[in-house]
Amino acid sequence: MTENIIDLKKITVEFKDGENQVQAVKNVDLQVEKGDIYGIVGYSGAGKSTLVRVINLLQKPTAGEVHINKQDLLQLKPVELRQARTKIGMIFQHFNLMKSRTILGNVEYPLLKTKLSKSERTKRATELLKLVGLEQRKNDYPRQLSGGQKQRVAIARALANNPDILISDEATSALDPKTTLSILNLLKQLNETLGLTIVLITHEMQAVKEICNHVAVMQKGEIVERGDIEEIFSTPKKKLTQEFINIATNVGPAVEKVTENPSFQQLTQKQQLVQLNFIGQSTEQPIISTLAKQFDVDGNILFANVEQLHEETLGFMILVLTGENQNITKAIQFLKDNQVRVKLLNKVDKKEVQA
Ligand SMILES: Nc1ncnc2c1ncn2[C@@H]1O[C@H](COP(=O)(O)OP(=O)(O)OP(=O)(O)O)[C@@H](O)[C@H]1O
Ligand SMILES: [Mg+2]
């Protein structure tokens, strides 16, 4: 049986803001299994940072329970809590490196509080820098490094005390897409080689898609949807989740482009614009040619994208179907019978209507 290394129960966090009471997190349960890479996605102000700061009690919840590694953190004595916290590493958007210390000095810093000797600290920090691919730069200062390299140093530092959990709060938000990918790949590699459990906070579903196996979507202090990454990407239920996925898969911008194009307004009575989502098996079937052969409906592809998520293949397509109305209806039913999700893109008010 898999065990929950993080188990947050009914967490509420309230802030007093002058006269106002802000509920940053509202009655949230969160379970993360050991070895997970768990994404938490949401727009600014959703409560993501507040929620993850509860994991190491940097933020004390107003109500709820915090169980980490089977320890009830709220019941620990200060010295026990300090010990428990060393097993939870954290990295941020701004790397928070110490300017006056070398790269090696930065990574050694959290080890100063341990019983290790100077030479043992240096050995450990050097190993960590090797792990993140920066051994050669150990005598440099932070200002001599790029953003991506600084984040690698921050990761090495966060791993100094051999944590079980690494929390990444928008750690790639200040980086370009290529550097982002290299940092995400490093996190994935650390997850696999060290068995590190990772909680990845981001406002980009793209980052989640790259490495997470679970994801929760946060809005106004609540988790509005959560699940396996394949399940969330193939059948998102909430509008907000769909929005995040549409951006990550480029479907959103494509729908916008297509529906804003004047030719969309000129579709005839015998044409219907549809958005299709394929999962697994159905991506392998010659669906479009079947529509023509079996239903006399032509499919003109305006956009197509295939995403590989772990073992699962997901396909996204925007099509103009041309044929007699009743044939189009039958064709759409055929698609649905073959596990294809069909969304009609309505011509009149540009509103997307569920078929
Ligand atoms: N110390 C605080 N005092 C008062 N209000 C706070 C405090 N910290 C956070 N908040 C409020 O709680 C809400 C959630 O903030 P939080 O920082 O958790 O959001 P977030 O999802 O991490 O956003 P972002 O993506 O911008 O980092 C916001 O409305 C914020 O203004
Ligand atoms: Mg935040």
Side-chain angles (χ1 to χ4, degrees):
M1 209 182 81
T2 40
E3 77 184 81
N4 290 327
I5 189 164
I6 299 173
D7 189 3
L8 303 184
K9 293 188 170 135
K10 298 192 182 308
I11 297 294
T12 295
V13 180
E14 284 174 3
F15 293 114
K16 280 221 173 65
D17 192 10
E19 292 288 280
N20 295 333
Q21 196 106 315
V22 183
Q23 273 206 332
V25 176
K26 300 174 193 166
N27 204 25
V28 167
D29 284 316
L30 180 71
Q31 282 79 37
V32 178
E33 287 173 14
K34 199 167 163 49
D36 255 3
I37 304 185
Y38 202 112
I40 300 181
V41 197
Y43 287 125
S44 186
K48 308 180 296 295
S49 295
T50 307
L51 179 66
V52 295
R53 284 163 55 84
V54 168
I55 295 174
N56 54 9
L57 286 193
L58 279 179
Q59 175 64 57
K60 221 175 156 207
T62 314
E65 291 177 31
V66 183
H67 298 266
I68 306 296
N69 249 337
K70 298 205 177 105
Q71 280 186 306
D72 184 347
L73 292 202
L74 287 163
Q75 304 303 325
L76 296 185
K77 299 193 182 82
V79 59
E80 294 168 331
L81 179 59
R82 265 200 301 281
Q83 176 58 28
R85 273 183 176 150
T86 63
K87 294 292 165 192
I88 308 170
M90 233 176 159
I91 53 172
F92 306 91
Q93 178 174 355
H94 304 293
F95 325 106
N96 305 343
L97 300 179
M98 287 174 286
K99 288 183 198 144
S100 60
R101 285 178 188 266
T102 61
I103 301 313
L104 190 70
N106 268 277
V107 180
E108 276 180 1
Y109 190 73
L111 298 170
L112 293 176
K113 293 173 212 154
T114 66
K115 292 194 182 95
L116 297 184
S117 68
K118 169 74 183 143
S119 66
E120 285 168 331
R121 288 199 300 267
T122 305
K123 185 165 173 272
R124 171 84 183 130
T126 306
E127 277 168 15
L128 288 161
L129 283 172
K130 200 170 174 185
L131 197 63
V132 300
L134 279 180
E135 201 194 359
Q136 309 300 327
R137 307 295 299 267
K138 64 182 181 186
N139 295 319
D140 287 350
Y141 285 86
R143 64 170 186 282
Q144 295 169 276
L145 301 188
S146 70
Q149 289 166 337
K150 283 183 201 162
Q151 195 58 282
R152 283 173 185 267
V153 177
I155 290 169
R157 183 185 53 185
L159 296 179
N161 283 307
N162 247 325
D164 304 310
I165 299 168
L166 180 70
I167 297 170
S168 165
D169 191 350
E170 301 281 6
T172 58
S173 296
L175 306 175
D176 64 66
K178 200 171 154 207
T179 311
T180 292
L181 204 57
S182 80
I183 295 292
L184 292 174
N185 285 332
L186 173 62
L187 293 179
K188 175 92 185 134
Q189 182 200 327
L190 296 171
N191 163 263
E192 284 167 0
T193 55
L194 308 176
L196 190 67
T197 303
I198 299 177
V199 180
L200 186 92
I201 313 264
T202 177
H203 57 271
E204 287 180 331
M205 197 58 119
Q206 194 80 26
V208 166
K209 193 186 77 188
E210 294 302 337
I211 61 166
C212 294
N213 55 347
H214 286 102
V215 61
V217 181
M218 272 194 94
Q219 185 177 31
K220 293 182 185 157
E222 293 176 296
I223 293 180
V224 294
E225 189 163 1
R226 69 180 97 202
D228 284 359
I229 191 84
E230 289 94 346
E231 176 193 331
I232 294 286
F233 266 76
S234 59
T235 48
K237 294 186 182 68
K238 292 281 168 22
K239 200 161 182 291
L240 178 66
T241 315
Q242 288 168 5
E243 205 172 293
F244 275 118
I245 288 165
N246 280 345
I247 295 167
T249 54
N250 289 321
V251 176
V255 169
E256 219 163 87
K257 245 190 201 157
V258 168
T259 52
E260 273 169 11
N261 193 304
S263 64
F264 172 62
Q265 295 302 328
Q266 288 155 16
L267 290 182
T268 67
Q269 286 300 326
K270 288 186 176 173
Q271 291 181 313
Q272 173 65 54
L273 192 68
V274 291
Q275 179 187 329
L276 308 184
N277 291 13
F278 303 80
I279 310 158
Q281 288 281 308
S282 55
T283 55
E284 290 155 25
Q285 298 170 21
I287 292 260
I288 308 303
S289 63
T290 307
L291 297 186
K293 281 185 206 145
Q294 209 167 320
F295 303 101
D296 204 16
V297 170
D298 282 327
N300 183 17
I301 301 171
L302 303 183
F303 168 87
N305 180 21
V306 175
E307 300 276 354
Q308 193 67 41
L309 284 172
H310 309 281
E311 303 301 305
E312 194 75 279
T313 310
L314 299 179
F316 302 86
M317 213 182 257
I318 301 174
L319 277 181
V320 180
L321 299 179
T322 306
E324 296 300 331
N325 267 336
Q326 64 206 46
N327 290 348
I328 289 181
T329 306
K330 279 184 201 154
I332 288 174
Q333 191 54 49
F334 165 80
L335 289 168
K336 288 180 174 176
D337 292 343
N338 281 277
Q339 279 73 52
V340 178
R341 285 178 69 233
V342 184
K343 208 177 205 185
L344 301 185
L345 298 172
N346 195 323
K347 195 166 50 171
V348 186
D349 54 6
K350 293 188 182 179
K351 256 215 232 62
E352 295 167 16
V353 189
Q354 196 68 42

